[in-house]
């Protein structure tokens, strides 16, 4: 699906209830009352569209990229929150209560029915909490699985509360054409959760994998390799990622996104680089060969297939080397003649994974805490490092593929753009989003 078509579909979906409301018309009201209704309608429809922007739909994530999808998801969630916060404030000064002789349908007044208002107030507070918790997730002492459950259930509860509030208290939403439209859109949004958490796991049951090896790469980094059981494996592009579930039922929240560091041309087995960080990853070294695993994917657009640039720069920080290593391996197995240059940053020398393999590629290693005898680059991957290793011709023509921490990516992206690198020649994948 083309990005332009996705944009058109998104705009059409979120504005459809607003257009239907306009067609239904009604008694004329003051501008701020109409604006209040419009903001409420848009906030509700944007929230429902957020169920699609969850990152688990390949037609979206693999077309516009996971970075763009998640950034847009965050931006629109915050936009919905702002519209929702303004919605009740714009009704200030509007008559409230029961029927007036001049307003037999109560279209010019605001209801004081507690049940109708309570659902709106509940959604109002829950939406604010959901956005704030998402923005501060990295600072909260929550397991990732717990946060996912809270986020999904919270979003579903908000959608249900908004449906009740809209059809019972809304001037437009209470009218049958729009109330049925809202019901259909809300049920469709809930259906997307059913697809992700019920239908996808059901399908995954017939495509099991088994752990074939677990190998320590560095003191806290491991390579996990899976082999397909009873099927041909995964049809993926080098640089993509999957949701990985090791040792659990398919119906579980114990799955995490990991980039594939193996190459499609290397055979049906797939490998991942996993760093000890969270509840699952801290025990990865204890995983036994033969353990059942499940894979949902592939996702992401960090791939170089079909590109025609004369050279490729692979710039990674920490475990961001994983998808870039997959790209490098695929290029070599496919006999691609293009030049490749790797810039790989870590804190210490003992954190460099696959050093011998990368040394053969004349990789540039950057350490922020180098040992005394270190002769490579020091500090962080920044503009100075890039300028020392990429000349004007490379900046003009090469493809730059980046993966790593957000701070590193922002600094590198800004410098490349300032140096004249076109945006379409910069591919990125972030680990986290603010």
């Amino acid at each position: 699906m083309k990005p332009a078509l996705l944009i058109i579909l998104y705009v059409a979906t979120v504005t459809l209830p607003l257009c239907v409301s306009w067609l239904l018309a009604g008694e004329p009201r003051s501008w701020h009352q109409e604006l209040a209704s419009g903001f409420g309608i848009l906030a509700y429809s944007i929230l429902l569209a957020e169920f699609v922007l969850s990152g688990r739909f390949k037609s979206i994530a693999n077309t516009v990229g996971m970075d763009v999808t998640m950034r847009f998801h965050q931006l629109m969630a915050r936009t919905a929150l702002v519209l929702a916060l303004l919605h009740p404030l714009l009704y200030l000064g509007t008559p409230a209560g029961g029927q007036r002789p001049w307003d037999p349908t109560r279209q010019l007044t605001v209801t004081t029915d507690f049940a109708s208002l309570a659902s709106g107030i509940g959604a109002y507070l829950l939406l604010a909490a959901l956005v704030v918790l998402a923005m501060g997730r990295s600072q909260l002492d929550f397991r990732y699985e717990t946060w996912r459950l809270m986020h999904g259930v919270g979003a579903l509860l908000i959608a249900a509360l908004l449906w009740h509030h809209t059809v019972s208290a809304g001037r437009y939403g209470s009218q049958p054409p729009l109330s049925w439209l809202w019901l259909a859109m809300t049920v469709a949004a809930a259906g997307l959760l059913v697809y992700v958490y019920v239908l996808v796991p059901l399908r995954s049951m017939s495509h099991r994998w088994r752990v074939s090896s677990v190998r320590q790469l560095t003191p806290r980094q491991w390579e996990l390799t899976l082999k397909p059981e009873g099927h041909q494996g995964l049809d993926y592009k080098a640089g993509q990622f999957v949701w990985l579930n090791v040792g659990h039922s398919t119906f579980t929240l114990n799955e995490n996104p990991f980039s594939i560091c193996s190459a499609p041309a290397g055979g049906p087995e797939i490998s991942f680089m996993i760093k000890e960080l969270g509840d699952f990853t801290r025990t990865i070294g204890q995983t036994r060969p033969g353990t059942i695993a499940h894979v949902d994917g592939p996702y992401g657009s960090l791939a170089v297939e079909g590109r025609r640039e004369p050279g490729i720069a692979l710039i990674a920080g920490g475990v961001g080397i994983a998808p870039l290593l997959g790209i490098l391996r695929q290029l070599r197995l496919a006999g691609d003649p293009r030049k490749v240059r790797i810039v790989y940053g870590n804190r210490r020398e003992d954190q460099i994974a696959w050093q011998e393999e990368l040394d053969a590629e004349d990789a540039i290693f950057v350490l922020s805490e180098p040992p005394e005898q270190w002769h490579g680059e020091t500090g962080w991957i920044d503009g100075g490092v890039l300028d020392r290793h990429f000349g004007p011709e490379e900046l003009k023509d090469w493809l730059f593929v980046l993966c790593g921490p957000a701070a590193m990516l922002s600094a590198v992206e800004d410098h490349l753009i300032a140096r004249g690198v076109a945006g379409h020649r910069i591919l990125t994948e972030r680990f986290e989003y603010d």
Side-chain angles (χ1 to χ4, degrees), residues 3 14 18-19 25 28 46 60 85 119 121 123 126 129 171 191 199 217 254 268 327 354 361 398 400 402 409 420:
V14 298
L18 197 64
C19 295
I46 288 173
I60 298 174
L85 294 175
S119 54
I121 294 170
L126 273 175
R171 179 192 192 192
L199 298 182
L217 299 170
N254 290 286
I327 291 173
W354 294 291
E361 299 292 335
W398 279 30
F400 290 80
L402 325 176
L409 294 186

Side-chain angles (χ1 to χ4, degrees), residues 96-268:
Q99 293 183 349
R100 265 73 167 177
W102 61 88
D103 184 25
T105 60
R106 278 176 48 178
Q107 289 184 331
L108 304 183
T109 61
V110 176
T111 182
T112 54
D113 178 65
F114 179 74
S116 300
L117 293 176
S119 54
I121 294 170
Y124 188 93
L125 297 175
L126 273 175
L127 178 59
L130 199 71
V131 172
V132 171
L133 286 173
M135 293 173 64
R137 180 174 66 86
S138 59
Q139 286 75 43
L140 299 173
D141 190 22
F142 284 148
R143 292 185 61 191
Y144 177 68
E145 295 79 12
T146 302
W147 178 83
R148 279 187 65 197
L149 179 63
M150 291 171 54
H151 199 70
V153 172
L156 190 60
L157 183 56
I158 290 170
L161 290 172
L162 283 178
W163 177 81
H164 177 266
H165 175 68
T166 300
V167 301
S168 61
R171 179 192 192 192
Y172 297 105
S174 59
Q175 299 187 52
L178 198 55
S179 62
W180 282 108
L181 176 61
W182 282 127
L183 179 61
M185 292 179 66
T186 304
V187 170
L192 294 177
L193 289 184
V194 173
Y195 169 79
V196 171
Y197 294 107
V198 178
L199 298 182
V200 170
L202 278 173
R203 184 179 60 194
S204 181
M205 293 176 68
S206 62
H207 287 76
R208 299 196 309 178
W209 298 72
R210 285 193 184 272
V211 175
S212 60
S213 67
V214 180
R215 181 169 69 95
Q216 190 166 19
L217 299 170
T218 72
R220 294 183 58 203
Q221 297 178 128
W222 300 77
E223 181 185 52
L224 177 76
T225 301
L226 305 180
K227 59 181 178 182
E229 185 174 81
H231 58 93
Q232 298 299 312
L234 186 69
D235 182 15
Y236 70 99
K237 297 178 181 178
Q240 291 189 297
F241 72 94
V242 302
W243 287 82
L244 177 63
N245 164 10
V246 178
H248 297 280
S249 161
T250 55
F251 299 97
T252 181
L253 292 176
N254 290 286
E255 56 176 359
N256 296 271
F258 290 104
S259 295
I260 304 171
C261 63
S262 52

